[in-house]
Amino acid sequence: MKPNLAPLAFRMRPRNFKEYVGQEAIIGSGTPLRIAIETDQLHSVILYGPAGTGKTSLAGVIAEMTTAAFQKVSAVSATVKDVRAIIKEATELSLNGKKTVLFIDEIHRFNKNQQDALLPAVEDGILILVGATTENPFFEVNAPLISRSRICVLTPLTVQDLKKIIKAALKDRVRGLGEQPLKVMPTALNLMADLSSGDARRALNILEASASLMSGEDNTITEENVKDVAAGRTFGYDKAQDGHYDTVSAFIKSLRGSNPDAGLHWLARMIEAGEDPKFIARRLVIFASEDIGNADPQALLVATAAAQAVQFVGLPECRLNLAQATIYLGVAPKSNAVIKGINAAISDLHKE
């Protein structure tokens, strides 16, 4: 794809750490991962976080900075044959002392056979694996690969991060919109960042769509312009970095308070925000034992059945299974005897 025809979000991907915005906790100056990349001593790593938080961008920075051969595949389309071909090439390069970095986007979509095919090369150091996933790698990636990789958790970008990214795109005359030029009202800038829910790609998509509406001498993006192009956007979590956890916490507290209507509200928010239904199902299974237990043993069966249904049916239909389990657990009698009992037993064990 020619750069000038590519979406703004693609064109503005950072090429180095100076252009990379956010994720200071894992790649800020002096962090182990940053040092490993800068000194070209990277070991296998799995980047875990929501969409638009910089996983693919960080892989791009690695590609620019490493002296190793860099291979990129998408788990959606790659096959075991593709993986073996890359391993064969990497093995030949390793004989000449050259390393290979393999970036796998959406690594959670690799099945067990594909992941197993990677393992010997990762274990022997023939491949340095960089995986990106929006799913919890401890559930979606094989344990042997996990044990040989560092897990780095990327969080939703802050409003200030998003504003910085938008401003950079407005200034850049080569890759961005600096040739137009555009003005953005402060209220419009704030709204773009707020509506993006921590997702840089979404922020740049909104900016690009807003810019396409501009004509004439004024060329000023207003709050109304942003509202027009962002209409019908996918609902996101709130703008706080821990919104994901706050929402699921509110969901669980609603069920704990025997309020199934509130539980359905928070369930709907998670589904509409694009939350992984397997994550929701796991929380329901935990809740069934932690907060209900033997006050209603059927609760665990209902929650487990919902989790199995999620695997079997998938979205959008599995929202019905999750809703059914949410209602059942919400109205079920509550008891924390199970968690109190096992915690007491563990405490006694450590006193011996």
Side-chain angles (χ1 to χ4, degrees):
M1 180 180 288
K2 294 181 180 179
N4 61 329
L5 298 179
L8 179 63
F10 180 88
R11 303 198 308 266
M12 289 302 300
R13 277 184 177 163
R15 297 161 294 188
N16 49 54
F17 282 121
K18 185 178 180 180
E19 295 177 352
Y20 194 97
V21 177
Q23 310 306 338
E24 289 293 318
I26 63 167
I27 52 93
S29 181
T31 57
L33 181 59
R34 172 82 169 256
I35 293 171
I37 295 170
E38 290 177 333
T39 59
D40 207 8
Q41 296 295 318
L42 183 67
H43 296 283
S44 292
V45 61
I46 294 176
L47 307 174
Y48 165 45
T53 53
K55 301 182 296 297
T56 303
S57 293
L58 183 53
V61 171
I62 292 170
E64 291 290 332
M65 299 184 69
T66 185
T67 59
F70 189 87
Q71 297 269 14
K72 176 181 177 180
V73 298
S74 171
V76 175
S77 56
T79 64
V80 172
K81 183 179 178 180
D82 297 327
V83 171
R84 287 175 177 159
I86 291 170
I87 292 173
K88 181 180 179 181
E89 184 178 340
T91 301
E92 293 171 354
L93 289 173
S94 69
L95 295 176
N96 296 316
K98 190 173 181 65
K99 298 182 290 185
T100 299
V101 175
L102 173 60
F103 173 58
I104 303 179
D105 198 11
E106 299 189 78
I107 191 172
H108 59 275
R109 293 181 180 269
F110 257 17
N111 61 36
K112 186 178 186 299
N113 289 337
Q114 290 169 306
Q115 293 186 31
D116 286 345
L118 283 171
L119 184 59
V122 172
E123 189 170 22
D124 293 343
I126 293 171
L127 285 179
I128 298 169
L129 173 65
V130 178
T133 177
T134 56
E135 311 291 340
N136 189 328
F138 291 101
F139 291 102
E140 304 295 339
V141 179
N142 290 359
L145 277 180
I146 288 286
S147 69
R148 290 161 178 80
S149 306
R150 168 188 279 178
I151 308 298
C152 293
V153 180
L154 284 73
T155 56
L157 299 175
T158 66
V159 168
Q160 292 305 315
D161 288 336
L162 293 169
K163 287 182 180 180
K164 189 173 181 180
I165 290 168
I166 293 168
K167 289 177 180 178
L170 288 166
K171 284 183 180 180
D172 195 307
R173 301 175 70 90
V174 177
R175 298 182 299 152
L177 304 174
E179 282 293 325
Q180 290 187 241
L182 289 168
K183 299 176 185 177
V184 179
M185 293 182 65
T187 53
L189 180 63
N190 291 337
L191 185 59
M192 283 186 208
D194 192 31
L195 291 176
S196 299
S197 302
D199 184 332
R201 187 182 298 109
R202 184 181 298 171
L204 291 173
N205 287 343
I206 293 174
L207 172 61
E208 186 172 30
S210 299
S212 69
L213 300 177
M214 297 299 100
S215 62
E217 296 180 359
D218 190 22
N219 266 10
T220 300
I221 297 175
T222 66
E223 190 173 350
E224 289 304 314
N225 297 141
V226 175
K227 288 179 180 177
D228 287 342
V229 302
R233 69 185 175 93
T234 301
F235 178 81
Y237 288 125
D238 64 44
K239 60 187 178 183
Q241 285 196 25
D242 56 356
H244 161 81
Y245 299 102
D246 288 346
T247 304
V248 75
S249 176
F251 175 60
I252 294 301
K253 287 177 181 177
S254 297
L255 301 186
R256 192 171 288 148
S258 297
N259 188 339
D261 289 337
L264 288 175
H265 167 83
W266 293 111
L267 173 65
R269 287 174 69 100
M270 287 189 287
I271 291 172
E272 287 300 297
E275 181 60 82
D276 178 12
K278 296 191 292 294
F279 170 77
I280 302 172
R282 286 194 292 267
R283 295 307 299 259
L284 288 173
V285 172
I286 295 167
F287 181 87
S289 290
E290 182 177 357
D291 291 276
I292 297 174
N294 290 323
D296 182 357
Q298 188 74 15
L300 180 57
L301 300 181
V302 171
T304 303
Q308 291 173 336
V310 165
Q311 297 278 2
F312 182 70
V313 177
L315 286 171
E317 289 83 0
C318 75
R319 74 190 191 284
L320 303 175
N321 311 116
L322 293 172
Q324 181 180 350
T326 295
I327 294 169
Y328 188 97
L329 301 186
V331 299
K334 307 298 187 294
S335 168
N336 63 355
V338 170
I339 189 171
K340 286 178 66 178
I342 188 62
N343 284 349
I346 292 171
S347 177
D348 287 343
L349 183 65
H350 287 285
K351 291 177 183 177
E352 293 179 0

